[in-house]
Amino acid sequence: MNVHLTPTEVLAGVGALVALVVIWRLTSRAARRAAEAARASARVVSLAGRVGGTAAVIVGVQWVVITHPGNPVVLRVVLGLPALLAGHSLTRALTVTTLDTPRRRGSRR
């Protein structure tokens, strides 16, 4: 069994293979970008849920302590502790360190 191919047929076959590889790589990159975007939006929603839940707990405890006064030390702690935590979080979020700078591709720490 002998197969005789013309140079045009060989070039067409190689071209088809190259086209398939290019299409496969482009679709895999697009899928990777879409997956990363979905993960990023899920992180934002998850963070928003945790922040909302924590805020609800803090407000609930503060409401109970304020509506049932008794001990002024407890009142100060319940109102002051969330302020300290919020101040710490904001300070960390707004502080720029040298480790936060983006690295160049291929560089090591």
Side-chain angles (χ1 to χ4, degrees):
M1 173 182 206
N2 291 336
V3 177
H4 297 285
L5 298 174
T6 65
T8 306
E9 292 172 336
V10 172
L11 283 176
V14 170
L17 285 174
V18 169
L20 284 174
V21 169
V22 168
I23 290 172
W24 176 65
R25 288 193 53 149
L26 289 176
T27 55
S28 67
R29 286 180 184 170
R32 193 176 311 124
R33 281 193 300 267
E36 183 59 35
R39 263 187 247 115
S41 65
R43 277 188 225 122
V44 170
V45 171
S46 175
L47 178 63
R50 286 182 289 186
V51 168
T54 304
V57 168
I58 290 172
V59 168
V61 170
Q62 288 177 341
W63 179 78
V64 168
V65 169
I66 290 171
T67 56
H68 298 21
N71 191 347
V73 174
V74 173
L75 178 65
R76 288 188 183 110
V77 168
V78 166
L79 294 177
L81 186 62
L84 287 173
L85 294 174
H88 177 344
S89 299
L90 282 173
T91 302
R92 284 192 65 187
L94 298 175
T95 301
V96 177
T97 63
T98 57
L99 295 177
D100 293 338
T101 57
R103 293 187 299 159
R104 287 178 291 164
R105 186 170 215 155
S107 66
R108 296 184 185 234
R109 286 187 181 186

